[in-house]
């Protein structure tokens, strides 16, 4: 209810909250806080995201060192992770394309780009990654990499989405 009041009063503010698993001991507060933060950073569109909804991805993050995950993602995604506007746009295009199950028309609508613009970006991304994004296992792997980075707050698309 608080979310809807704030969203109605301040429509320019995008609120999101993460909810951890239940813990009984105060010593587990750090774990609870980390889970809530990971849930909040998840790419799920809901305003309130429960850590337990993260499923496999949550377990992956929980059991691996974030620095090691970032290292793996950097190796796989290469220059798409460079901190410049062009690469951020390409990475965001890739993310939306993969979230849309490689459907060009839906991606075109979501990004407000022409079909030719989407095709050009996808071809450029495939060259950078040296991967065929039409392959289902490759697409799933790359999407998992991006969602991992979003979840551990190593990247954000907030400034791109508006």
């Amino acid at each position: 209810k608080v979310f809807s009041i704030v969203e109605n009063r301040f429509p320019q503010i995008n609120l999101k909250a993460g909810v951890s698993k239940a813990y009984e001991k105060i010593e587990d507060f750090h774990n609870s806080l980390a889970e809530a933060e990971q849930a909040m950073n998840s790419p799920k569109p809901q305003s309130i995201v429960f850590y337990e909804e993260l499923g496999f991805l949550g377990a992956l993050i929980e059991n691996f060192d974030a620095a090691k995950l970032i290292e793996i993602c950097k190796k796989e995604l290469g220059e798409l992770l460079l901190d410049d506007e062009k690469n951020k746009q390409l990475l965001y295009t890739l993310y939306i394309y993969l979230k849309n199950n490689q459907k060009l028309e839906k991606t075109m609508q979501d990004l407000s780009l022409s079909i030719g613009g989407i095709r050009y970006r996808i071809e450029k991304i495939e060259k950078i990654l040296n991967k065929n994004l039409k392959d289902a296992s490759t697409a799933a792997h790359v999407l998992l990499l991006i969602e991992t980075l979003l979840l551990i707050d190593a990247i954000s698309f907030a400034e791109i989405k508006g």
Side-chain angles (χ1 to χ4, degrees):
K1 182 168 174 147
V2 172
F3 268 47
S4 33
I5 292 170
V6 173
E7 286 174 340
N8 287 336
R9 210 154 173 204
F10 305 99
Q12 72 278 14
I13 295 176
N14 185 15
L15 294 177
K16 191 164 185 180
V19 180
S20 72
K21 295 183 287 191
Y23 288 95
E24 294 182 15
K25 298 178 184 168
I26 192 71
E27 296 84 25
D28 293 325
F29 179 74
H30 178 72
N31 293 336
S32 177
L33 188 60
E35 289 176 2
E37 185 176 13
Q38 288 171 359
M40 182 185 69
N41 290 331
S42 85
K44 293 185 175 284
Q46 301 97 312
S47 295
I48 300 174
V49 179
F50 291 84
Y51 178 79
E52 291 173 337
E53 293 174 356
L54 300 179
F56 171 76
L57 199 50
L60 176 73
I61 303 303
E62 186 176 337
N63 293 305
F64 282 91
D65 176 29
K68 184 69 175 167
L69 289 171
I70 291 170
E71 180 184 322
I72 292 167
C73 292
K74 281 182 176 178
K75 182 179 179 223
E76 294 282 330
L77 297 173
E79 70 182 71
L80 290 180
L81 293 178
L82 294 177
D83 194 22
D84 65 65
E85 191 60 33
K86 181 185 83 164
N87 285 308
K88 283 182 184 178
Q89 287 291 337
L90 288 175
L91 186 62
Y92 185 62
T93 299
L94 173 59
Y95 178 64
I96 297 300
Y97 175 70
L98 295 175
K99 289 294 283 184
N100 288 330
N101 297 313
Q102 298 106 314
K103 291 186 177 21
L104 291 173
E105 276 122 31
K106 177 74 173 115
T107 304
M108 176 184 77
Q109 292 169 353
D110 288 352
L111 297 176
S112 300
L113 291 171
S114 69
I115 198 85
I118 296 296
R119 282 193 179 115
Y120 172 79
R121 285 186 181 188
I122 297 304
E123 287 172 14
K124 185 170 182 143
I125 291 164
E126 286 181 324
K127 284 179 186 170
I128 290 169
L129 298 179
N130 195 27
K131 295 182 186 308
N132 177 3
L133 296 172
K134 291 168 194 74
D135 177 68
S137 63
T138 299
H141 174 73
V142 172
L143 181 59
L144 182 62
L145 293 170
I146 296 170
E147 290 195 331
T148 299
L149 291 171
L150 287 166
L151 202 59
I152 61 176
D153 206 22
I155 62 170
S156 171
F157 296 129
E159 68 279 354
I160 296 173
K161 290 191 281 190

